[in-house]
């Protein structure tokens, strides 16, 4: 750090300010009672504008790109400096917490703001990216923004519709985006030295170990599937039990088979049925004839996940045959597990230790934009402790201002000390 510079804002001040900003963004919701902010909604636009304003105040040049990602640029010490990309997502799940994704954006903005306030230019240029779609709640697949920045956006996704039948293509146009500009968003040849994401852990590990921060070793891969069970609707009072082709009872048995298969994996797998709907909503006196549900399977190792998905499909087809119902099996998307670059892990561990926190490494069961960015640069992730038992994807999600500040100071340390030459890009995945 250049001599004579003030040490910057106190950690607690940084952290408290970030939590206030999380509250401000948490108030921008499609639902007045809970936090839900889906991709390309009016609330996305309002949140994007607010984030861009905070980026400008931190000394960055900003833009909202063709897919609704917000990008802030902070030049490095040299015009041709390589770039560090850092950031996370600002879309949410339904009835979400206020820190998932958002914290990583605001932490990065606060870190750049601290460098700017001290007149510090890092060796690398810094690009803070607020991704508009990581959760994939609206269109059923996730990471539209980071896929585009990784140069991996599949144009066929533009025809995917949301629950109201609005296609992604139409939603981008209504938002003021530009589908023709999507290929230009790729950072594949943009002199990117690393992508680093700060994110709440969304689990209890750091809380149980009494650690404010942790360094992520790898991000679990996931497969999302949308089965549909087609039986025969009928009168709840007159159809004998042995003659029924009950789609909901079949889906329920399939749901339990997902749970029992993954629960028997001694921790290498997790499986979740997060959505289930009876076509038309169902009725108390009608045997359900048409049921759609979703399956999310994850594992740290891709071969284990692929084997699990195949086994779960076989079991569901066995259940369908026995119950004489039809089964349509649609894979919505899958994400490969993403290892974090060992050199970035070491640099992040140094920055954690510089905050007086014992460096601790742990895997991520949650997916992150870093998985896509791993296709254009080595990735690193810094986890921050969650309170309330580590609960997340839930309004009780919580963190402390002290931990928010420690995480920001660790990111500042990382950005100031990062030397692209010493962290030569790992082989691309
Ligand atoms: O589902 C996930 O793991 C992430 O929160 N999108
Ligand atoms: Mn999430
Ligand atoms: Mn997230």
């Amino acid at each position: 750090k250049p001599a004579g510079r003030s040490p910057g804002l106190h950690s607690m001040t940084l952290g408290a300010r970030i939590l206030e900003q999380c509250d401000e963004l948490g108030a921008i919701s499609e639902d007045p009672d809970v936090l839900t902010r889906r991709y390309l909604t009016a609330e996305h636009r309002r949140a994007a504008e607010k984030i861009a304003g905070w980026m400008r105040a931190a000394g960055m040049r900003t833009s909202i790109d063709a897919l609704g990602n917000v990008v802030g640029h902070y030049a490095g010490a040299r015009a041709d400096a390589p770039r560090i990309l850092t950031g996370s997502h600002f879309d949410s799940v339904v009835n979400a917490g206020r820190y998932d994704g958002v914290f990583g954006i605001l932490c990065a903005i606060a870190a750049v703001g601290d460098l700017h306030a001290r007149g510090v230019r890092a060796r690398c240029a810094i690009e803070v990216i607020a991704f508009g779609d990581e959760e994939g709640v609206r269109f059923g697949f996730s990471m539209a923004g980071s896929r585009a920045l990784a140069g991996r956006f599949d144009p066929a996704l533009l025809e995917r519709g949301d629950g109201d039948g609005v296609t992604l293509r139409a939603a981008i146009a209504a938002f003021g985006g530009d589908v023709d500009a999507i290929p230009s968003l790729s950072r594949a040849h943009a002199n990117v030295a690393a992508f680093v994401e700060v994110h709440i852990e969304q689990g209890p590990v750091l809380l149980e170990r009494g650690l404010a921060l942790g360094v992520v070793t790898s991000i679990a891969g996931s497969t999302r599937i949308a089965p549909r069970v087609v039986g025969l609707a009928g009168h709840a009072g007159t159809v004998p039990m042995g003659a029924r082709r009950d789609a909901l009872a079949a889906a329920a048995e399939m749901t339990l088979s997902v749970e029992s298969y993954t629960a028997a994996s001694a921790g290498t797998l997790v499986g979740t049925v997060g959505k289930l709907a009876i076509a038309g909503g169902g009725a108390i006196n009608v045997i359900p004839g048409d049921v759609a549900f979703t399956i999310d399977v994850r594992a740290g190792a891709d071969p284990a996940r692929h084997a699990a998905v195949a086994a779960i499909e076989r079991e569901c087809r066995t259940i369908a045959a026995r119950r004489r119902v039809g089964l349509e099996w649609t894979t919505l998307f899958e994400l490969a597990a993403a290892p974090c670059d060992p050199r970035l892990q070491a640099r992040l561990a140094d920055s954690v230790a510089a905050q007086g926190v014992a460096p601790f490494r742990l895997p991520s069961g949650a997916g992150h934009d870093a998985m896509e960015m791993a296709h254009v640069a080595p990735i690193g992730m810094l986890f921050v402790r969650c309170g309330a038992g580590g609960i997340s994807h839930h309004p009780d999600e919580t963190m402390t201002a002290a931990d928010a500040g420690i995480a920001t100071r660790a990111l500042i340390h990382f950005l100031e000390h990062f030397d692209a030459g010493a962290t030569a890009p790992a082989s691309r995945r």
Side-chain angles (χ1 to χ4, degrees):
K1 186 184 311 169
R5 302 275 188 214
S6 71
L9 283 176
H10 184 274
S11 171
M12 197 61 184
T13 310
L14 281 171
R17 174 71 184 117
I18 290 172
L19 294 200
E20 286 165 11
Q21 292 172 316
C22 289
D23 290 344
E24 282 186 57
L25 285 181
I28 302 177
S29 173
E30 296 171 60
D31 182 324
D33 302 321
V34 298
L35 171 53
T36 301
R37 187 171 56 242
R38 296 171 305 149
Y39 182 40
L40 296 178
T41 55
E43 289 72 23
H44 170 164
R45 164 65 65 187
R46 284 173 45 208
E49 299 293 359
K50 188 174 274 287
I51 290 167
W54 287 330
M55 286 177 169
R56 283 190 293 275
M60 290 185 255
R61 284 194 335 273
T62 66
S63 62
I64 297 178
D65 74 16
L67 279 181
N69 304 306
V70 189
V71 181
H73 186 84
Y74 186 71
R78 295 196 344 251
D80 63 347
R83 278 185 240 189
I84 289 185
L85 306 187
T86 182
S88 194
H89 63 96
F90 65 104
D91 64 320
S92 79
V93 294
V94 175
N95 195 7
R98 283 166 292 164
Y99 307 102
D100 175 5
V102 163
F103 176 72
I105 296 165
L106 298 172
C107 177
I109 293 173
V112 171
D114 184 74
L115 298 178
H116 177 58
R118 293 186 285 125
V120 172
R121 290 288 170 182
R123 290 185 190 86
C124 283
I126 301 166
E127 214 166 68
V128 178
I129 300 167
F131 293 103
D133 173 54
E134 188 272 345
E135 300 290 3
V137 169
R138 183 171 177 188
F139 294 99
F141 65 90
S142 71
M143 307 204 192
S146 42
R147 285 171 190 241
L149 269 70
R152 287 165 33 92
F153 185 86
D154 175 1
L157 294 172
L158 292 168
E159 310 320 326
R160 284 280 183 91
D162 67 7
D164 301 321
V166 177
T167 63
L168 174 56
R169 180 187 299 278
I172 292 169
F175 184 83
D178 176 4
V179 293
D180 297 330
I182 292 173
S184 69
L185 301 185
S186 172
R187 299 303 200 274
H189 306 293
N191 195 15
V192 177
F195 175 80
V196 173
E197 182 166 3
V198 181
H199 202 289
I200 55 170
E201 178 201 335
Q202 298 180 292
V205 174
L206 296 176
L207 182 66
E208 287 165 1
R209 287 178 172 267
L211 295 169
L213 305 176
V215 177
V216 177
T217 54
S218 70
I219 308 168
S222 61
T223 302
R224 289 186 185 180
I225 303 152
R228 178 185 173 207
V229 181
V230 180
L232 182 62
H235 195 300
T238 58
V239 180
M241 293 310 289
R244 297 185 177 202
R245 292 166 55 207
D246 184 329
L248 182 54
E253 188 177 352
M254 293 174 191
T255 298
L256 291 176
S257 73
V258 170
E259 182 189 53
S260 55
Y261 185 92
T262 49
S265 71
T268 57
L269 294 165
V270 288
T272 311
V273 171
K275 291 173 74 174
L276 184 144
I278 299 171
I284 192 165
N285 57 353
V286 176
I287 303 164
D290 187 343
V291 170
F293 63 102
T294 62
I295 301 174
D296 174 322
V297 177
R298 308 197 188 192
D302 289 346
R305 174 168 52 87
H306 293 146
V309 168
I312 287 167
E313 181 177 358
R314 280 194 304 274
E315 180 57 21
C316 287
R317 292 201 180 284
T318 302
I319 292 166
R322 175 162 36 82
R323 288 174 170 270
R324 299 179 300 113
V325 296
L327 175 61
E328 295 167 14
W329 192 265
T330 307
T331 300
L332 291 176
F333 84 89
E334 66 169 309
L335 278 168
C340 294
D341 183 89
R343 280 152 299 212
L344 291 179
Q345 288 186 49
R347 297 289 71 73
L348 286 168
D350 292 345
S351 297
V352 167
Q355 312 315 314
V357 178
F360 174 75
R361 286 172 165 78
L362 70 164
S364 172
H368 301 287
D369 287 299
M371 301 167 88
E372 282 297 335
M373 298 309 290
H375 292 277
V376 291
I379 61 166
M381 280 201 78
L382 185 64
F383 268 175
V384 193
R385 173 168 47 190
C386 282
I391 192 168
S392 182
H393 281 190
H394 187 284
D396 291 350
E397 187 179 273
T398 185
M399 66 186 300
T400 67
D403 288 355
I406 292 169
T408 306
R409 296 229 66 86
L411 183 59
I412 292 164
H413 181 280
F414 175 86
L415 293 172
E416 278 200 276
H417 292 78
F418 181 78
D419 179 352
T423 314
S427 59
R428 295 280 180 269
R429 281 176 347 107

